[in-house]
Amino acid sequence: MKDFAIELDAVTAGYHHHTVFSKVSFAVSSGERILVTGSNGSGKSTLLRIISGTLIPKSGTVTVQHVTLHNSRRRQQTRRQIGILAQMQHDPEIAISVRESVVLGLWGTRFNWCTRVQREDHERARNYLALVDMLPFEHRDIRSLSGGQHQRVALARALIRNPQIILMDEPTTYLDLDAKRDILERIMQLQQQMQFTLVVVSHDDHLIDRFDRTIRLEHGSLLEVEGGSLWAR
Amino acid sequence: MGTLIAEAWSVGVIRHALFGMLIAGGTLSLLGVVIVALHLSVIRFTLMHVGLFGAAVGIALGSGATIGAFTAVLIASCIMGYLSRQNVMSTSSISGLFMTGSLAGAFLLLAGTGVPAMQVFDIFAGNILMLSRTDLVLTAITGTIVVLVFIVAYREIQLVLFNRELAILLGVPVEAIMMALFLLLGLGIATALRLVGALLVDAVILLPGIAALRLARSFGSALLLSSLFGIISTAGGFFIALRFNLPVGASAAMTATCLLSCVLLIGKLIQPS
Protein backbone atom coordinates (compact mmCIF):
# COMPACT_ATOMS: atom_id res chain seq x y z
CA MET A 1 0.00 0.00 0.00
CA LYS A 2 1.33 3.40 -0.98
CA ASP A 3 2.12 5.79 1.91
CA PHE A 4 -0.11 8.75 1.16
CA ALA A 5 0.23 11.93 3.20
CA ILE A 6 -2.89 13.46 1.67
CA GLU A 7 -5.85 11.79 -0.04
CA LEU A 8 -8.90 13.54 -1.44
CA ASP A 9 -11.70 11.31 -2.67
CA ALA A 10 -14.53 12.93 -4.70
CA VAL A 11 -14.34 16.13 -2.68
CA THR A 12 -16.77 18.94 -3.41
CA ALA A 13 -16.07 22.22 -1.66
CA GLY A 14 -17.33 25.78 -1.54
CA TYR A 15 -18.78 28.52 0.60
CA HIS A 16 -22.47 28.75 1.51
CA HIS A 17 -24.39 28.06 -1.72
CA HIS A 18 -21.40 28.56 -4.00
CA THR A 19 -19.46 25.49 -5.09
CA VAL A 20 -15.80 26.20 -5.88
CA PHE A 21 -14.81 22.74 -7.14
CA SER A 22 -16.59 19.43 -7.36
CA LYS A 23 -15.67 15.75 -7.15
CA VAL A 24 -11.93 16.36 -7.01
CA SER A 25 -9.78 13.32 -6.24
CA PHE A 26 -6.04 13.00 -5.90
CA ALA A 27 -3.39 11.68 -3.56
CA VAL A 28 0.00 12.98 -2.47
CA SER A 29 2.74 10.62 -1.27
CA SER A 30 4.75 11.37 1.86
CA GLY A 31 7.69 13.61 1.08
CA GLU A 32 6.31 14.49 -2.35
CA ARG A 33 6.44 18.03 -3.77
CA ILE A 34 3.21 19.07 -5.45
CA LEU A 35 2.40 22.27 -7.28
CA VAL A 36 -1.25 23.25 -7.62
CA THR A 37 -1.87 25.77 -10.38
CA GLY A 38 -4.96 27.38 -11.86
CA SER A 39 -6.41 30.77 -12.60
CA ASN A 40 -7.86 33.13 -9.96
CA GLY A 41 -10.98 31.69 -8.35
CA SER A 42 -10.27 28.15 -9.54
CA GLY A 43 -10.20 26.90 -5.96
CA LYS A 44 -6.48 26.67 -5.20
CA SER A 45 -6.72 28.39 -1.81
CA THR A 46 -9.95 26.51 -1.05
CA LEU A 47 -8.05 23.28 -1.63
CA LEU A 48 -5.52 24.32 1.02
CA ARG A 49 -8.34 25.08 3.46
CA ILE A 50 -9.79 21.64 2.82
CA ILE A 51 -6.44 19.90 3.41
CA SER A 52 -5.76 21.96 6.54
CA GLY A 53 -9.21 21.02 7.86
CA THR A 54 -10.33 24.61 8.21
CA LEU A 55 -13.05 24.18 5.59
CA ILE A 56 -15.38 21.21 5.75
CA PRO A 57 -16.12 19.72 2.31
CA LYS A 58 -19.71 19.60 1.10
CA SER A 59 -19.14 15.96 0.18
CA GLY A 60 -16.30 13.49 -0.24
CA THR A 61 -13.53 12.29 2.05
CA VAL A 62 -10.29 13.98 3.06
CA THR A 63 -7.54 11.89 4.65
CA VAL A 64 -4.40 13.54 6.00
CA GLN A 65 -1.56 11.53 7.55
CA HIS A 66 -3.84 8.45 7.51
CA VAL A 67 -6.53 10.25 9.52
CA THR A 68 -9.91 10.83 7.90
CA LEU A 69 -11.01 14.36 8.75
CA HIS A 70 -14.64 13.66 9.56
CA ASN A 71 -14.91 15.41 12.90
CA SER A 72 -13.53 18.56 14.49
CA ARG A 73 -11.29 16.70 16.95
CA ARG A 74 -9.52 14.86 14.13
CA ARG A 75 -9.25 18.02 12.06
CA GLN A 76 -7.69 19.82 15.01
CA GLN A 77 -5.28 16.95 15.71
CA THR A 78 -4.17 16.73 12.10
CA ARG A 79 -3.73 20.48 11.83
CA ARG A 80 -0.93 20.25 14.39
CA GLN A 81 1.15 18.35 11.82
CA ILE A 82 0.68 20.98 9.14
CA GLY A 83 2.78 24.09 8.61
CA ILE A 84 1.27 27.03 6.79
CA LEU A 85 2.80 29.70 4.61
CA ALA A 86 -0.19 31.97 4.02
CA GLN A 87 -0.55 34.37 1.14
CA MET A 88 1.32 37.64 1.71
CA GLN A 89 -1.25 40.29 2.63
CA HIS A 90 -0.92 44.03 2.90
CA ASP A 91 1.13 45.18 5.87
CA PRO A 92 -0.81 44.88 9.13
CA GLU A 93 -1.82 48.04 10.98
CA ILE A 94 -0.36 46.68 14.20
CA ALA A 95 3.36 46.56 14.82
CA ILE A 96 4.75 43.09 15.36
CA SER A 97 8.35 41.98 15.74
CA VAL A 98 9.77 39.39 13.36
CA ARG A 99 10.29 36.92 16.22
CA GLU A 100 6.78 37.35 17.63
CA SER A 101 5.29 36.83 14.18
CA VAL A 102 7.12 33.48 13.96
CA VAL A 103 5.89 32.47 17.42
CA LEU A 104 2.32 33.00 16.18
CA GLY A 105 2.87 30.03 13.85
CA LEU A 106 2.72 27.81 16.93
CA TRP A 107 -0.95 28.57 17.54
CA GLY A 108 -2.86 25.33 18.04
CA THR A 109 0.28 23.36 18.87
CA ARG A 110 2.27 24.93 21.71
CA PHE A 111 -0.35 27.49 22.76
CA ASN A 112 -3.99 28.43 22.27
CA TRP A 113 -6.84 29.97 24.30
CA CYS A 114 -5.94 28.07 27.46
CA THR A 115 -2.15 27.90 27.30
CA ARG A 116 0.10 30.87 26.77
CA VAL A 117 3.35 31.38 24.88
CA GLN A 118 6.40 30.19 26.84
CA ARG A 119 9.99 31.41 26.88
CA GLU A 120 11.14 28.30 25.00
CA ASP A 121 8.72 29.12 22.18
CA HIS A 122 10.68 32.34 21.62
CA GLU A 123 13.92 30.34 21.68
CA ARG A 124 12.44 27.99 19.11
CA ALA A 125 11.46 30.94 16.93
CA ARG A 126 15.06 32.20 17.08
CA ASN A 127 16.33 28.81 15.88
CA TYR A 128 14.02 28.79 12.88
CA LEU A 129 14.85 32.40 12.08
CA ALA A 130 18.50 31.39 12.05
CA LEU A 131 17.60 28.58 9.63
CA VAL A 132 16.33 31.12 7.08
CA ASP A 133 19.11 33.65 7.86
CA MET A 134 16.74 36.13 9.46
CA LEU A 135 17.97 36.02 13.08
CA PRO A 136 19.66 39.45 12.88
CA PHE A 137 16.20 40.89 12.11
CA GLU A 138 14.38 39.26 15.05
CA HIS A 139 13.52 42.55 16.80
CA ARG A 140 12.60 44.45 13.64
CA ASP A 141 8.99 45.40 12.93
CA ILE A 142 7.82 42.99 10.24
CA ARG A 143 6.42 45.93 8.27
CA SER A 144 9.92 47.20 7.62
CA LEU A 145 11.04 44.06 5.75
CA SER A 146 11.31 43.59 2.00
CA GLY A 147 9.02 41.11 0.23
CA GLY A 148 11.72 38.45 0.07
CA GLN A 149 12.61 38.83 3.76
CA HIS A 150 8.92 38.71 4.56
CA GLN A 151 8.60 35.32 2.88
CA ARG A 152 11.70 33.96 4.61
CA VAL A 153 10.08 34.84 7.94
CA ALA A 154 6.85 33.22 6.73
CA LEU A 155 8.87 30.08 5.94
CA ALA A 156 10.28 30.06 9.48
CA ARG A 157 6.69 30.47 10.76
CA ALA A 158 5.59 27.42 8.77
CA LEU A 159 8.57 25.33 9.89
CA ILE A 160 8.31 26.16 13.59
CA ARG A 161 5.46 23.65 13.95
CA ASN A 162 7.91 20.91 12.93
CA PRO A 163 5.28 19.74 10.44
CA GLN A 164 4.90 16.59 8.36
CA ILE A 165 3.17 18.62 5.67
CA ILE A 166 3.68 22.22 4.60
CA LEU A 167 1.00 24.08 2.67
CA MET A 168 2.04 27.24 0.86
CA ASP A 169 -0.31 29.77 -0.67
CA GLU A 170 1.35 31.82 -3.43
CA PRO A 171 4.82 31.99 -1.79
CA THR A 172 6.39 33.88 -4.71
CA THR A 173 3.70 36.44 -5.50
CA TYR A 174 4.81 40.10 -5.40
CA LEU A 175 8.49 39.08 -5.31
CA ASP A 176 11.12 40.21 -7.79
CA LEU A 177 13.05 37.60 -9.74
CA ASP A 178 16.00 37.36 -7.30
CA ALA A 179 13.78 37.11 -4.24
CA LYS A 180 11.61 34.54 -6.03
CA ARG A 181 14.66 32.41 -6.86
CA ASP A 182 16.01 32.76 -3.30
CA ILE A 183 12.82 31.71 -1.53
CA LEU A 184 12.26 28.76 -3.90
CA GLU A 185 15.82 27.59 -3.38
CA ARG A 186 15.41 27.74 0.39
CA ILE A 187 12.08 25.92 0.31
CA MET A 188 13.47 23.11 -1.84
CA GLN A 189 16.65 22.81 0.23
CA LEU A 190 14.73 22.61 3.50
CA GLN A 191 12.27 20.13 1.98
CA GLN A 192 15.15 17.85 1.02
CA GLN A 193 16.66 18.15 4.49
CA MET A 194 13.46 17.64 6.46
CA GLN A 195 11.53 15.47 4.00
CA PHE A 196 8.16 17.10 4.65
CA THR A 197 5.37 16.79 2.12
CA LEU A 198 5.07 20.05 0.23
CA VAL A 199 1.91 21.40 -1.41
CA VAL A 200 2.38 24.76 -3.06
CA VAL A 201 -0.48 26.72 -4.58
CA SER A 202 0.59 29.21 -7.22
CA HIS A 203 -0.65 30.80 -10.40
CA ASP A 204 2.99 30.97 -11.51
CA ASP A 205 3.44 28.21 -14.13
CA HIS A 206 7.20 28.82 -14.24
CA LEU A 207 7.60 26.84 -11.01
CA ILE A 208 6.51 23.54 -12.62
CA ASP A 209 9.98 22.08 -13.14
CA ARG A 210 10.85 22.41 -9.43
CA PHE A 211 8.11 20.00 -8.33
CA ASP A 212 7.49 16.26 -8.59
CA ARG A 213 3.99 16.78 -9.96
CA THR A 214 1.64 19.55 -11.00
CA ILE A 215 -2.09 19.56 -10.44
CA ARG A 216 -4.22 22.01 -12.38
CA LEU A 217 -7.56 23.23 -11.10
CA GLU A 218 -9.74 24.86 -13.71
CA HIS A 219 -13.46 25.71 -13.77
CA GLY A 220 -14.18 23.82 -10.59
CA SER A 221 -12.55 20.56 -11.54
CA LEU A 222 -9.16 18.91 -11.61
CA LEU A 223 -8.05 19.02 -15.21
CA GLU A 224 -4.72 17.31 -15.36
CA VAL A 225 -1.96 15.77 -13.32
CA GLU A 226 1.39 16.04 -15.02
CA GLY A 227 4.48 13.94 -14.56
CA GLY A 228 3.07 11.57 -11.98
CA SER A 229 1.90 8.01 -11.92
CA LEU A 230 -0.71 8.49 -9.22
CA TRP A 231 -4.36 8.27 -9.93
CA ALA A 232 -6.59 11.19 -10.67
CA ARG A 233 -10.27 11.40 -11.40
CA MET B 1 -7.56 74.11 41.31
CA GLY B 2 -7.12 71.88 44.39
CA THR B 3 -10.04 73.52 46.18
CA LEU B 4 -12.14 73.25 43.07
CA ILE B 5 -11.44 69.53 42.78
CA ALA B 6 -12.12 68.99 46.49
CA GLU B 7 -15.43 70.82 46.20
CA ALA B 8 -16.38 68.93 43.08
CA TRP B 9 -15.38 65.62 44.69
CA SER B 10 -17.93 66.15 47.46
CA VAL B 11 -20.73 66.11 44.88
CA GLY B 12 -21.86 62.52 44.15
CA VAL B 13 -22.88 63.24 40.56
CA ILE B 14 -19.44 64.57 39.71
CA ARG B 15 -17.71 61.62 41.36
CA HIS B 16 -19.85 59.24 39.31
CA ALA B 17 -19.09 61.20 36.17
CA LEU B 18 -15.34 61.13 36.76
CA PHE B 19 -15.32 57.40 37.53
CA GLY B 20 -17.46 56.75 34.46
CA MET B 21 -15.12 58.72 32.22
CA LEU B 22 -12.02 57.05 33.66
CA ILE B 23 -13.43 53.55 33.28
CA ALA B 24 -14.58 54.26 29.72
CA GLY B 25 -11.31 55.95 28.79
CA GLY B 26 -9.21 53.13 30.19
CA THR B 27 -11.16 50.21 28.79
CA LEU B 28 -13.33 51.15 25.78
CA SER B 29 -10.32 52.79 24.14
CA LEU B 30 -8.91 49.28 23.55
CA LEU B 31 -11.57 48.92 20.87
CA GLY B 32 -9.99 51.81 18.95
CA VAL B 33 -7.00 49.59 18.14
CA VAL B 34 -9.34 47.01 16.60
CA ILE B 35 -11.37 49.64 14.70
CA VAL B 36 -8.23 51.03 13.07
CA ALA B 37 -6.55 47.67 12.45
CA LEU B 38 -9.63 46.09 10.90
CA HIS B 39 -10.74 49.26 9.08
CA LEU B 40 -14.08 49.34 10.89
CA SER B 41 -14.35 53.14 11.04
CA VAL B 42 -17.44 53.10 8.83
CA ILE B 43 -19.11 50.55 11.09
CA ARG B 44 -18.62 52.64 14.21
CA PHE B 45 -19.95 55.71 12.37
CA THR B 46 -23.00 53.70 11.33
CA LEU B 47 -23.60 52.52 14.89
CA MET B 48 -23.66 56.15 16.03
CA HIS B 49 -26.49 56.84 13.56
CA VAL B 50 -28.28 53.71 14.71
CA GLY B 51 -28.04 55.19 18.21
CA LEU B 52 -30.02 58.20 17.01
CA PHE B 53 -32.74 55.96 15.60
CA GLY B 54 -32.80 53.94 18.83
CA ALA B 55 -33.15 57.14 20.84
CA ALA B 56 -36.17 58.15 18.75
CA VAL B 57 -37.75 54.72 19.23
CA GLY B 58 -36.97 54.80 22.96
CA ILE B 59 -38.62 58.20 23.42
CA ALA B 60 -41.60 57.21 21.29
CA LEU B 61 -42.10 54.06 23.38
CA GLY B 62 -41.56 55.94 26.63
CA SER B 63 -38.50 53.93 27.70
CA GLY B 64 -36.07 56.82 27.29
CA ALA B 65 -33.53 57.87 24.69
CA THR B 66 -30.54 56.18 26.33
CA ILE B 67 -32.15 52.75 26.72
CA GLY B 68 -33.46 52.98 23.13
CA ALA B 69 -30.07 53.94 21.74
CA PHE B 70 -28.27 51.24 23.75
CA THR B 71 -30.68 48.51 22.59
CA ALA B 72 -30.64 49.61 18.95
CA VAL B 73 -26.84 49.77 18.77
CA LEU B 74 -26.50 46.31 20.31
CA ILE B 75 -29.09 44.76 17.97
CA ALA B 76 -27.59 46.50 14.92
CA SER B 77 -24.06 45.35 15.77
CA CYS B 78 -25.32 41.75 16.00
CA ILE B 79 -27.12 41.96 12.64
CA MET B 80 -24.22 43.76 10.94
CA GLY B 81 -21.77 41.19 12.31
CA TYR B 82 -23.97 38.36 11.05
CA LEU B 83 -24.40 39.88 7.57
CA SER B 84 -20.69 40.55 7.27
CA ARG B 85 -19.95 36.97 8.37
CA GLN B 86 -22.35 35.52 5.82
CA ASN B 87 -20.71 37.56 3.03
CA VAL B 88 -24.17 38.76 2.01
CA MET B 89 -22.64 42.10 1.01
CA SER B 90 -19.56 44.17 1.68
CA THR B 91 -19.03 45.90 5.03
CA SER B 92 -19.39 49.33 3.43
CA SER B 93 -22.68 48.31 1.77
CA ILE B 94 -24.02 47.01 5.09
CA SER B 95 -22.98 50.28 6.71
CA GLY B 96 -24.65 52.32 3.99
CA LEU B 97 -27.85 50.35 4.39
CA PHE B 98 -27.97 50.76 8.16
CA MET B 99 -26.86 54.39 8.21
CA THR B 100 -29.43 55.54 5.66
CA GLY B 101 -32.15 53.34 7.12
CA SER B 102 -31.50 54.58 10.65
CA LEU B 103 -31.52 58.26 9.73
CA ALA B 104 -34.64 57.87 7.60
CA GLY B 105 -36.32 55.85 10.36
CA ALA B 106 -35.44 58.46 12.99
CA PHE B 107 -36.82 61.37 10.96
CA LEU B 108 -40.00 59.49 10.01
CA LEU B 109 -40.54 58.56 13.64
CA LEU B 110 -40.01 62.15 14.75
CA ALA B 111 -42.52 63.37 12.19
CA GLY B 112 -45.02 60.59 12.82
CA THR B 113 -45.07 60.57 16.61
CA GLY B 114 -44.49 64.25 17.35
CA VAL B 115 -41.44 63.46 19.52
CA PRO B 116 -39.47 66.68 20.04
CA ALA B 117 -36.39 66.46 17.82
CA MET B 118 -34.15 68.17 20.37
CA GLN B 119 -34.88 65.44 22.89
CA VAL B 120 -33.64 62.81 20.41
CA PHE B 121 -30.62 64.84 19.40
CA ASP B 122 -29.58 64.93 23.08
CA ILE B 123 -28.12 61.52 22.39
CA PHE B 124 -25.60 63.26 20.17
CA ALA B 125 -24.29 65.31 23.08
CA GLY B 126 -24.67 62.78 25.92
CA ASN B 127 -24.94 63.82 29.54
CA ILE B 128 -22.21 62.60 31.78
CA LEU B 129 -23.56 64.49 34.79
CA MET B 130 -26.77 62.46 34.68
CA LEU B 131 -24.83 59.25 35.24
CA SER B 132 -26.49 57.24 38.01
CA ARG B 133 -24.89 54.57 40.18
CA THR B 134 -26.55 51.92 37.98
CA ASP B 135 -25.11 53.57 34.86
CA LEU B 136 -21.70 53.53 36.51
CA VAL B 137 -21.99 49.82 37.31
CA LEU B 138 -23.07 49.10 33.73
CA THR B 139 -20.08 51.05 32.40
CA ALA B 140 -17.78 49.08 34.71
CA ILE B 141 -19.30 45.77 33.57
CA THR B 142 -18.87 46.71 29.89
CA GLY B 143 -15.30 47.82 30.53
CA THR B 144 -14.52 44.57 32.36
CA ILE B 145 -15.96 42.49 29.51
CA VAL B 146 -13.84 44.39 26.97
CA VAL B 147 -10.65 43.92 29.02
CA LEU B 148 -11.39 40.23 29.68
CA VAL B 149 -11.93 39.51 25.98
CA PHE B 150 -8.58 41.11 25.15
CA ILE B 151 -6.84 39.12 27.90
CA VAL B 152 -8.40 35.75 27.05
CA ALA B 153 -8.15 36.05 23.27
CA TYR B 154 -5.00 38.21 23.09
CA ARG B 155 -3.02 35.97 20.69
CA GLU B 156 -6.08 35.05 18.65
CA ILE B 157 -7.03 38.71 18.09
CA GLN B 158 -3.38 39.48 17.34
CA LEU B 159 -3.35 36.70 14.71
CA VAL B 160 -6.55 37.99 13.08
CA LEU B 161 -5.15 41.54 12.95
CA PHE B 162 -1.77 40.29 11.69
CA ASN B 163 -2.90 37.97 8.87
CA ARG B 164 -6.49 36.82 8.69
CA GLU B 165 -5.77 34.13 6.08
CA LEU B 166 -3.00 32.65 8.23
CA ALA B 167 -5.35 32.68 11.23
CA ILE B 168 -8.00 30.78 9.24
CA LEU B 169 -5.52 28.17 8.03
CA LEU B 170 -4.13 27.67 11.55
CA GLY B 171 -7.66 26.94 12.75
CA VAL B 172 -8.30 30.12 14.74
CA PRO B 173 -12.10 30.64 14.85
CA VAL B 174 -11.82 33.89 12.91
CA GLU B 175 -15.55 34.28 12.24
CA ALA B 176 -16.40 33.88 15.92
CA ILE B 177 -13.71 36.39 16.86
CA MET B 178 -14.97 38.89 14.30
CA MET B 179 -18.53 38.45 15.59
CA ALA B 180 -17.34 38.96 19.17
CA LEU B 181 -15.44 42.11 18.16
CA PHE B 182 -18.53 43.48 16.39
CA LEU B 183 -20.57 42.85 19.52
CA LEU B 184 -17.94 44.45 21.74
CA LEU B 185 -17.85 47.43 19.43
CA GLY B 186 -21.62 47.78 19.71
CA LEU B 187 -21.44 47.44 23.48
CA GLY B 188 -18.60 49.98 23.70
CA ILE B 189 -20.30 52.54 21.47
CA ALA B 190 -23.61 52.11 23.27
CA THR B 191 -21.85 52.75 26.58
CA ALA B 192 -19.89 55.72 25.28
CA LEU B 193 -23.10 57.20 23.85
CA ARG B 194 -24.45 57.51 27.38
CA LEU B 195 -21.31 59.26 28.55
CA VAL B 196 -20.18 61.69 25.89
CA GLY B 197 -22.83 61.41 23.19
CA ALA B 198 -22.67 60.11 19.61
CA LEU B 199 -20.64 62.99 18.23
CA LEU B 200 -17.86 62.52 20.75
CA VAL B 201 -17.70 58.73 20.98
CA ASP B 202 -14.48 58.92 18.98
CA ALA B 203 -12.81 60.84 21.80
CA VAL B 204 -13.16 57.83 24.07
CA ILE B 205 -12.87 55.00 21.57
CA LEU B 206 -11.16 55.89 18.30
CA LEU B 207 -8.60 58.68 18.81
CA PRO B 208 -6.66 56.97 21.63
CA GLY B 209 -6.39 53.86 19.43
CA ILE B 210 -5.08 55.84 16.45
CA ALA B 211 -2.52 57.61 18.65
CA ALA B 212 -1.42 54.33 20.25
CA LEU B 213 -0.88 52.57 16.92
CA ARG B 214 1.39 55.41 15.78
CA LEU B 215 3.79 54.83 18.69
CA ALA B 216 3.40 51.18 19.68
CA ARG B 217 6.06 48.59 18.90
CA SER B 218 3.77 45.61 19.56
CA PHE B 219 0.09 44.69 19.90
CA GLY B 220 0.43 44.63 23.68
CA SER B 221 1.99 48.07 23.86
CA ALA B 222 -0.70 49.38 21.44
CA LEU B 223 -3.39 48.22 23.87
CA LEU B 224 -1.61 49.67 26.91
CA LEU B 225 -0.94 53.00 25.19
CA SER B 226 -4.51 53.17 23.92
CA SER B 227 -5.80 52.66 27.44
CA LEU B 228 -3.38 55.29 28.80
CA PHE B 229 -4.34 57.82 26.11
CA GLY B 230 -8.01 57.09 26.80
CA ILE B 231 -7.53 57.87 30.49
CA ILE B 232 -5.53 61.03 29.74
CA SER B 233 -8.20 62.24 27.29
CA THR B 234 -11.15 61.63 29.58
CA ALA B 235 -9.51 62.74 32.83
CA GLY B 236 -7.88 65.75 31.16
CA GLY B 237 -11.13 66.71 29.49
CA PHE B 238 -13.02 66.29 32.73
CA PHE B 239 -10.75 68.60 34.74
CA ILE B 240 -10.60 71.20 31.96
CA ALA B 241 -14.41 71.17 31.84
CA LEU B 242 -14.55 71.57 35.61
CA ARG B 243 -12.00 74.37 35.69
CA PHE B 244 -13.42 76.44 32.84
CA ASN B 245 -17.06 75.45 33.19
CA LEU B 246 -17.21 73.76 29.77
CA PRO B 247 -19.12 70.72 28.49
CA VAL B 248 -17.32 67.53 29.59
CA GLY B 249 -17.76 65.54 26.36
CA ALA B 250 -16.44 68.32 24.13
CA SER B 251 -13.50 68.96 26.50
CA ALA B 252 -12.56 65.28 26.46
CA ALA B 253 -12.83 65.20 22.67
CA MET B 254 -10.61 68.28 22.36
CA THR B 255 -8.04 66.77 24.74
CA ALA B 256 -8.01 63.57 22.66
CA THR B 257 -7.63 65.62 19.46
CA CYS B 258 -4.69 67.59 20.92
CA LEU B 259 -3.11 64.36 22.18
CA LEU B 260 -3.37 62.71 18.76
CA SER B 261 -1.97 65.83 17.07
CA CYS B 262 1.01 65.79 19.44
CA VAL B 263 1.60 62.08 18.80
CA LEU B 264 1.47 62.63 15.03
CA LEU B 265 3.91 65.51 15.35
CA ILE B 266 6.29 63.55 17.58
CA GLY B 267 6.04 60.57 15.23
CA LYS B 268 6.96 62.82 12.31
CA LEU B 269 9.92 64.31 14.19
CA ILE B 270 11.41 61.00 15.35
CA GLN B 271 10.77 59.20 12.06
CA PRO B 272 14.12 58.10 10.58
CA SER B 273 14.88 59.98 7.37
Side-chain angles (χ1 to χ4, degrees):
Chain A
M1 200 179 114
K2 188 100 183 172
D3 178 23
F4 291 131
I6 302 163
E7 285 181 83
L8 266 72
D9 186 16
V11 170
T12 298
Y15 306 91
H16 305 293
H17 300 298
H18 173 59
T19 298
V20 179
F21 56 73
S22 58
K23 301 226 177 281
V24 163
S25 299
F26 70 92
V28 181
S29 303
S30 289
E32 203 179 3
R33 298 184 296 200
I34 294 285
L35 176 68
V36 182
T37 63
S39 53
N40 282 342
S42 59
K44 302 189 297 293
S45 299
T46 304
L47 184 68
L48 291 192
R49 288 190 184 192
I50 288 286
I51 297 170
S52 67
T54 49
L55 182 68
I56 301 166
K58 287 171 186 274
S59 64
T61 316
V62 183
T63 308
V64 178
Q65 294 294 109
H66 314 291
V67 176
T68 307
L69 309 184
H70 58 62
N71 64 38
S72 64
R73 198 175 58 86
R74 285 186 169 201
R75 280 192 290 274
Q76 208 175 340
Q77 265 176 0
T78 308
R79 213 177 287 137
R80 292 197 188 114
Q81 302 173 50
I82 298 177
I84 306 283
L85 193 153
Q87 203 163 356
M88 200 156 86
Q89 297 189 328
H90 54 80
D91 278 338
E93 294 280 351
I94 55 163
I96 182 163
S97 75
V98 165
R99 190 172 75 196
E100 203 175 358
S101 84
V102 174
V103 169
L104 286 181
L106 286 169
W107 195 91
T109 57
R110 300 267 308 165
F111 71 93
N112 55 25
W113 308 89
C114 316
T115 49
R116 298 284 91 182
V117 172
Q118 305 293 317
R119 187 190 293 262
E120 57 255 41
D121 298 331
H122 283 277
E123 208 41 57
R124 200 163 157 165
R126 296 185 82 242
N127 294 338
Y128 281 96
L129 279 171
L131 201 64
V132 293
D133 299 323
M134 286 299 290
L135 191 55
F137 298 86
E138 64 171 324
H139 299 299
R140 284 263 294 269
D141 185 348
I142 199 150
R143 298 175 296 182
S144 67
L145 302 182
S146 69
Q149 291 171 328
H150 221 288
Q151 290 307 72
R152 273 151 67 184
V153 174
L155 183 57
R157 194 181 304 123
L159 290 167
I160 198 173
R161 293 165 81 87
N162 199 15
Q164 305 290 312
I165 298 170
I166 293 195
L167 309 177
M168 298 189 177
D169 196 355
E170 304 283 3
T172 57
T173 310
Y174 310 125
L175 299 185
D176 61 40
L177 210 59
D178 285 342
K180 202 180 273 194
R181 202 174 293 140
D182 174 70
I183 192 73
L184 262 176
E185 212 52 61
R186 284 172 190 276
I187 291 169
M188 293 308 169
Q189 226 169 48
L190 288 164
Q191 193 276 335
Q192 272 183 344
Q193 273 173 34
M194 299 177 177
Q195 287 297 306
F196 49 78
T197 307
L198 179 62
V199 179
V200 173
V201 151
S202 177
H203 66 271
D204 191 348
D205 287 334
H206 294 100
L207 307 179
I208 287 175
D209 57 347
R210 309 300 303 267
F211 289 82
D212 299 327
R213 279 193 300 146
T214 301
I215 288 170
R216 181 172 289 279
L217 276 167
E218 213 65 69
H219 307 298
S221 56
L222 190 141
L223 280 188
E224 55 188 280
V225 178
E226 295 168 1
S229 54
L230 296 176
W231 53 278
R233 283 200 292 262
Chain B
M1 184 72 178
T3 326
L4 183 74
I5 292 172
E7 269 177 29
W9 191 251
S10 62
V11 183
V13 180
I14 293 185
R15 271 205 312 275
H16 284 166
L18 177 60
F19 281 138
M21 291 290 274
L22 286 178
I23 293 168
T27 60
L28 305 184
S29 54
L30 300 181
L31 295 168
V33 174
V34 171
I35 293 175
V36 180
L38 290 176
H39 307 282
L40 295 178
S41 298
V42 187
I43 295 277
R44 119 258 172 229
F45 196 58
T46 305
L47 289 176
M48 294 176 195
H49 285 80
V50 171
L52 180 74
F53 172 67
V57 174
I59 293 171
L61 294 176
S63 57
T66 312
I67 296 289
F70 199 88
T71 314
V73 167
L74 270 185
I75 293 172
S77 61
C78 287
I79 299 173
M80 287 166 79
Y82 175 78
L83 290 177
S84 145
R85 193 179 155 197
Q86 295 295 316
N87 286 323
V88 176
M89 52 181 130
S90 68
T91 309
S92 51
S93 303
I94 297 168
S95 296
L97 176 75
F98 272 77
M99 206 178 328
T100 315
S102 301
L103 271 183
F107 283 116
L108 287 174
L109 211 64
L110 291 178
T113 57
V115 168
M118 281 321 289
Q119 218 177 323
V120 175
F121 282 99
D122 271 355
I123 203 74
F124 270 140
N127 195 346
I128 187 75
L129 296 176
M130 292 293 284
L131 207 67
S132 65
R133 183 178 282 270
T134 315
D135 290 332
L136 191 61
V137 170
L138 280 176
T139 308
I141 290 172
T142 306
T144 309
I145 292 172
V146 170
V147 173
L148 277 179
V149 168
F150 276 95
I151 290 173
V152 172
Y154 175 81
R155 290 289 175 192
E156 290 72 20
I157 295 174
Q158 186 185 29
L159 252 166
V160 172
L161 302 189
F162 171 57
N163 186 329
R164 201 188 297 201
E165 190 57 31
L166 174 70
I168 290 170
L169 287 170
L170 287 176
V172 175
V174 173
E175 287 188 354
I177 287 175
M178 289 301 291
M179 189 70 192
L181 290 176
F182 260 90
L183 263 175
L184 272 191
L185 194 57
L187 202 61
I189 288 176
T191 307
L193 275 177
R194 298 151 72 95
L195 302 176
V196 288
L199 287 176
L200 304 172
V201 162
D202 284 351
V204 176
I205 295 185
L206 186 64
L207 299 195
I210 297 175
L213 282 169
R214 302 294 294 198
L215 296 182
R217 293 289 191 86
S218 68
F219 181 47
S221 61
L223 293 177
L224 286 175
L225 277 175
S226 191
S227 177
L228 177 71
F229 290 156
I231 290 172
I232 293 174
S233 301
T234 48
F238 192 86
F239 288 118
I240 289 170
L242 214 59
R243 173 72 182 78
F244 299 104
N245 197 23
L246 295 168
V248 178
S251 301
M254 187 48 80
T255 311
T257 308
C258 293
L259 191 70
L260 176 58
S261 306
C262 289
V263 166
L264 292 176
L265 196 67
I266 292 167
K268 201 80 184 161
L269 290 175
I270 61 172
Q271 203 174 39
S273 52

